Amino acid sequence: MKRIKRNPEKFEPIELYAALARDQGYNLNAPAHQTDFIVRVDRSIKAAADNPALVHGKRVEAMFAHVAGGLGSCALIKQEDTGNVFAEDDELQAPDYKIILKSGEQFFVEVKNCHFDKPTYLYLIAKEYDGKLQKYAELHRTPLKYAIFYSRWNKWALLPRDSFTEQANRYVTDMVNSLARSEMLTLGDRMIGTKPDLVFELRADPRKEATLSQEGQAKFTIGDVRMYCDGMLITDAKEKSIAFYLMRFGDWIEGDTEGVFENEQLVGVRYVFNPQSFDSSQGFSVIGTLSSMISSAYSELTVHENKVIALDIRQNPEIFAPEIPLDLKGTALPLWQFLIQPNTDPIERKVA
């Protein structure tokens, strides 16, 4: 999936100027008004940068489009809450996105970022706020869903309103309920498992010197890259690409770097990835969901040292796509893929 090219530098500044002109009475040709516009925009950007909740919320909103696009089931993802809206009833609000799936199904999505540190904390949607979104959706005869990103766990949930619990003036959910009822499967999300450990190995060029200092620093020229799953060398190019993706963005823990020796001679280093716990009788361990992996990949480009450095990126969603065919079982890299259906049964909840 690719972003349709636009020219924001040409059109969006003048559109913003026109929007402010309605309130400020700007004249398009007045230098003083142009200067005031620049001052206001500069002040607004600085204020936004100093507002962590706003910055993280906008980043997550932009990230959702890349997650949905990378999962592979969408035909169109359109930002909905931009541009002028004229309506007979002014008590409505456009949601963040409109989604059209390859199957033809359509729905609106309002994106939310939840940074609670406990999975039992209640996330709430005010009825007044939801009502405005629902009015907009009803006018389009298109359902509305909420996409909630539980940022501390790097988990997405896609929920219709009836997945929330209704209270006096709000609708509430928690992470346990959200993940159980999530409809992320409709976007193409899956849970992936394989056999531990996964190993990424850099092999030294045998024609050049390889040394290991007393401080444990290895120095060599890379001559080959190898990957292993459960001790088996992965040779298929597709499986190697998937293994590398899983190691980079999956949930398994990276251990300490290990030296590789043959006849007491350093021949490379290896990085070992394994799950926090493993039931050997099961034969495999889950390494994560595709939506979480895409989110981790997106964060590499937008977050540095726990600070947001970009809200959106120029790359297309397709660069985040893991390209794991649903029917791929793997040879040297055996894969288990789980399609998680939403649970529609009542779920007991302890109010936090």
Side-chain angles (χ1 to χ4, degrees):
M1 176 166 278
K2 298 180 179 179
R3 189 194 302 265
I4 296 176
K5 291 184 178 180
R6 299 170 60 250
N7 191 343
E9 187 174 352
K10 179 178 181 180
F11 296 108
E12 293 189 8
I14 192 66
E15 289 173 359
L16 178 59
Y17 188 92
L20 287 180
R22 289 195 296 268
D23 296 328
Q24 304 302 322
Y26 288 158
N27 183 317
L28 181 60
N29 300 307
H33 292 172
Q34 294 172 7
T35 299
D36 185 72
F37 169 75
I38 293 171
V39 169
R40 286 178 180 274
V41 171
D42 180 68
R43 186 166 59 230
S44 177
I45 292 173
K46 290 177 179 177
D50 292 333
N51 184 338
L54 175 62
V55 168
H56 285 283
K58 295 302 290 185
R59 187 189 78 90
V60 167
E61 181 182 320
M63 178 168 65
F64 172 78
H66 289 271
V67 170
L71 288 174
S73 291
C74 295
L76 178 77
I77 302 168
K78 178 186 177 295
Q79 191 171 1
E80 188 74 13
D81 62 344
T82 58
N84 292 320
V85 176
F86 298 90
E88 185 176 34
D89 182 354
D90 61 357
E91 287 296 308
L92 54 78
Q93 180 173 330
D96 294 318
Y97 292 101
K98 183 174 184 179
I99 302 289
I100 302 179
L101 301 180
K102 293 177 181 178
S103 65
E105 181 183 355
Q106 303 183 25
F107 50 87
F108 290 117
V109 175
E110 180 74 357
V111 182
K112 294 297 176 186
N113 180 39
C114 179
H115 198 56
F116 294 161
D117 59 0
K118 290 185 179 180
T120 54
Y121 281 174
L122 293 182
Y123 185 83
L124 64 92
I125 303 289
K127 281 189 175 180
E128 181 180 7
Y129 174 78
D130 174 77
K132 293 180 179 181
L133 294 168
Q134 297 291 349
K135 281 185 179 180
Y136 186 94
E138 288 164 5
L139 280 174
H140 287 79
R141 294 180 174 86
T142 302
L144 170 73
K145 300 179 190 291
Y146 288 94
I148 304 177
F149 182 58
Y150 290 93
S151 54
R152 290 182 181 268
W153 288 268
N154 193 30
K155 302 290 185 185
W156 283 97
L158 183 65
L159 304 166
R161 191 184 64 187
D162 59 14
S163 292
F164 292 72
T165 297
E166 183 176 1
Q167 295 183 344
N169 59 356
R170 63 187 188 176
Y171 299 98
V172 301
T173 186
D174 57 29
M175 192 174 80
V176 175
N177 177 73
S178 295
L179 296 183
R181 296 185 180 277
S182 176
E183 298 179 1
M184 285 295 291
L185 173 62
T186 63
L187 299 177
D189 203 10
R190 282 166 273 157
M191 184 179 291
I192 306 295
T194 189
K195 292 183 176 182
D197 296 333
L198 287 175
V199 174
F200 180 82
E201 190 172 284
L202 298 174
R203 300 285 292 195
D205 188 334
R207 299 167 298 179
K208 298 181 180 180
E209 183 181 18
T211 62
L212 183 66
S213 69
Q214 292 183 345
E215 292 78 21
Q217 292 182 335
K219 184 178 181 181
F220 60 88
T221 301
I222 298 173
D224 189 19
V225 175
R226 299 180 184 179
M227 284 176 250
Y228 300 85
C229 176
D230 190 28
M232 182 174 292
L233 178 65
I234 304 171
T235 57
D236 178 77
K238 182 68 175 178
E239 291 187 17
K240 289 175 72 172
S241 175
I242 294 172
F244 185 60
Y245 189 93
L246 296 178
M247 285 185 275
R248 284 189 69 194
F249 304 121
D251 296 337
W252 288 2
I253 306 301
E254 179 184 352
D256 295 333
T257 305
E258 302 174 0
V260 182
F261 296 88
E262 292 178 1
N263 299 322
E264 300 184 355
Q265 175 66 36
L266 177 70
V267 296
V269 295
R270 61 169 52 191
Y271 305 85
V272 181
F273 298 80
N274 47 55
Q276 289 182 307
S277 60
F278 175 56
D279 182 358
S280 58
S281 64
Q282 182 173 265
F284 70 94
S285 184
V286 171
I287 196 168
T289 59
L290 297 184
S291 59
S292 294
M293 295 181 203
I294 294 173
S295 299
S296 295
Y298 187 85
S299 294
E300 276 196 353
L301 300 178
T302 56
V303 178
H304 180 66
E305 295 181 348
N306 295 320
K307 291 185 178 180
V308 175
I309 59 173
L311 301 181
D312 201 356
I313 56 176
R314 64 181 301 175
Q315 287 86 347
N316 292 315
E318 64 183 12
I319 75 160
F320 301 114
E323 296 186 5
I324 305 176
L326 185 57
D327 59 352
L328 179 65
K329 296 182 179 180
T331 304
L333 179 71
L335 294 175
W336 285 258
Q337 302 192 53
F338 300 92
L339 307 181
I340 308 301
Q341 300 283 349
N343 180 4
T344 58
D345 295 332
I347 299 172
E348 275 191 39
R349 178 186 293 110
K350 295 181 180 179
V351 177

